Amino acid sequence: MTEIQSPDTAKPAGKIMLVGIGPGSQAHMTARAREAIAEADVVIGYVTYIKLVAELLEGKEVVRKGMTEELDRAVSALEAARAGKKVALISSGDAGVYGMAGPTFEVLFQAGWTPDDEVKVEIVPGASALNACAALVGAPLTHDFCAISLSDLLTPWPVIARRLDAVASADFVVALYNPKSGRRTRQIVEAQRLFLRHRRADTPVAIVKSAYRRRERIEFSTLDRMAEADIGMLTTVLIGNSHTFVRHGLMVTPRGYANKYDLDAGGDTREGEKPGRSLSTGLLGWLDTLQAEHAAGASAEALALRHRLPLDYIVSTLSEPVEAAELADAATAGDEA
């Protein structure tokens, strides 16, 4: 008698791996990114990214998509995973930084997916463009920094402009993604205009094109000249803060050790400062000074102007005096650098 196979035989569960392949050189891919591509039955990505990992794709089903087809990539990944396949959906840099992680989750949630679904999702992190470009030019991101995309394909320009103005005023080091394309040429000029409202004209700027790729190009400039540089979609622009400097061809942003230590005196702590403790101008020290200035006659309005902080914040802060116990705790508690 011939045995009849059950039609209910379970198919293998599919999986979507959102893989950040790093800046473009295979030497800078993580081991897990390589493993994920090796495990995959299907590899999906933008045509340029597919070329960057071509040596790893032998025997794979490869789906190439265009620049504006991000949602199509995510839909294709879900369809393949629903069919029981393991899918590597690749992004340059990190999949969660202007990459495919966000749009993929949007598609998944729209389709009713939950983490308990039979289709599993793994995010494989990779070095983003800002990390790669920073490594090539020195140490520009050693202090607070942020990233802003100048692409207005999905984000209204007033939103982008407000963000640029805010971070320029707040003295962040800034990485500009998608700064210019064949059709979008004015965005970098407008970004420059906004930054020049708050930053010196000679603020250092590093312009890195195709980091760790065949046509890599690095150019140092200044804020007032940066829009004249060769900038395109494969370029990341790093704008320094008020302390960033360029020396011996390296762009460096100090961490702030000079606020606490006298570097010319062998690294001894400055008067009033202690190793492992918050600065005397740290939160509690500043609050104590604020109260003293207010008690001496300075108005909340004058203090807001002096410290360049919102008036309502100063008013609410003055209404909550620093307790002596808090200051004592701050004097004895240790902080990591």
Side-chain angles (χ1 to χ4, degrees):
M1 178 187 255
T2 303
E3 183 178 351
I4 300 175
Q5 297 292 328
S6 170
D8 297 326
T9 301
K11 64 182 178 183
K15 182 177 182 180
I16 299 173
M17 295 171 285
L18 296 157
V19 182
I21 62 172
S25 165
Q26 289 191 29
H28 294 91
M29 287 179 63
T30 65
R32 178 56 194 145
R34 287 173 168 274
E35 290 171 357
I37 293 173
E39 292 173 16
D41 304 302
V42 184
V43 178
I44 301 173
Y46 172 49
V47 288
T48 298
Y49 307 156
I50 292 293
K51 291 178 182 177
L52 294 174
V53 296
E55 296 177 7
L56 306 177
L57 302 181
E58 186 176 352
K60 310 288 183 186
E61 178 185 346
V62 179
V63 179
R64 298 170 175 83
K65 295 286 185 178
M67 175 61 79
T68 59
E69 298 178 310
E70 290 85 1
L71 294 180
D72 288 342
R73 291 180 230 168
V75 169
S76 296
L78 178 57
E79 290 174 347
R82 287 279 189 226
K85 297 179 180 180
K86 289 186 177 181
V87 183
L89 179 49
I90 64 174
S91 298
S92 67
D94 182 274
V97 180
Y98 303 117
M100 284 303 303
T104 298
F105 278 117
E106 290 184 60
V107 167
L108 288 170
F109 293 147
Q110 184 67 29
W113 178 91
T114 72
D116 295 327
D117 195 287
E118 63 178 6
V119 171
K120 300 305 176 186
V121 177
E122 177 187 358
I123 300 177
V124 180
S128 184
L130 62 86
N131 303 110
C133 296
L136 287 171
V137 302
L141 307 180
T142 309
H143 215 311
D144 297 338
F145 64 90
C146 71
I148 296 178
S149 170
L150 297 190
S151 174
D152 57 4
L153 297 179
L154 300 173
T155 306
W157 179 254
V159 174
I160 299 171
R162 286 195 297 271
R163 292 171 179 172
L164 290 167
D165 188 64
V167 299
S169 174
D171 205 29
F172 282 95
V173 175
V174 180
L176 297 180
Y177 281 65
N178 307 313
K180 191 175 182 180
S181 71
R183 290 189 298 269
R184 295 184 303 100
T185 60
R186 184 164 171 172
Q187 282 79 353
I188 188 66
V189 176
E190 294 299 317
Q192 179 188 47
R193 192 191 316 277
L194 288 163
F195 267 81
L196 283 170
R197 295 182 64 246
H198 304 283
R199 306 277 177 97
R200 297 190 319 269
D202 64 351
T203 298
V205 175
I207 298 152
V208 184
K209 183 176 181 179
S210 299
Y212 294 104
R213 300 183 192 178
R214 185 166 55 88
R215 296 180 180 177
E216 175 185 290
R217 185 172 183 273
I218 300 170
E219 180 179 352
F220 287 99
S221 186
T222 53
L223 186 58
D224 61 339
R225 301 291 301 275
M226 74 175 191
E228 303 168 14
D230 179 17
I231 296 174
M233 278 297 288
L234 299 179
T235 304
T236 302
V237 178
L238 299 174
I239 303 174
N241 68 15
S242 60
H243 300 284
T244 304
F245 60 87
V246 175
R247 188 172 301 163
H248 304 304
L250 296 170
M251 183 177 181
V252 177
T253 302
R255 178 68 177 87
Y257 289 100
N259 292 329
K260 179 176 288 188
Y261 303 99
D262 188 342
L263 302 182
D264 293 328
D268 293 338
T269 52
R270 296 186 180 278
E271 184 177 354
E273 307 295 346
K274 295 181 179 180
R277 303 290 187 270
S278 295
L279 282 173
S280 58
T281 51
L283 176 58
L284 293 180
W286 176 75
L287 291 175
D288 193 42
T289 299
L290 194 72
Q291 293 286 350
E293 291 173 336
H294 187 53
S299 67
E301 290 80 3
L303 292 170
L305 286 172
R306 182 183 306 171
H307 297 288
R308 293 186 295 169
L309 288 167
L311 176 58
D312 60 342
Y313 173 70
I314 294 294
V315 170
S316 63
T317 298
L318 288 170
S319 69
E320 299 179 12
V322 181
E323 300 292 338
E326 290 183 271
L327 291 173
D329 288 343
T332 57
D335 276 342
E336 291 186 7

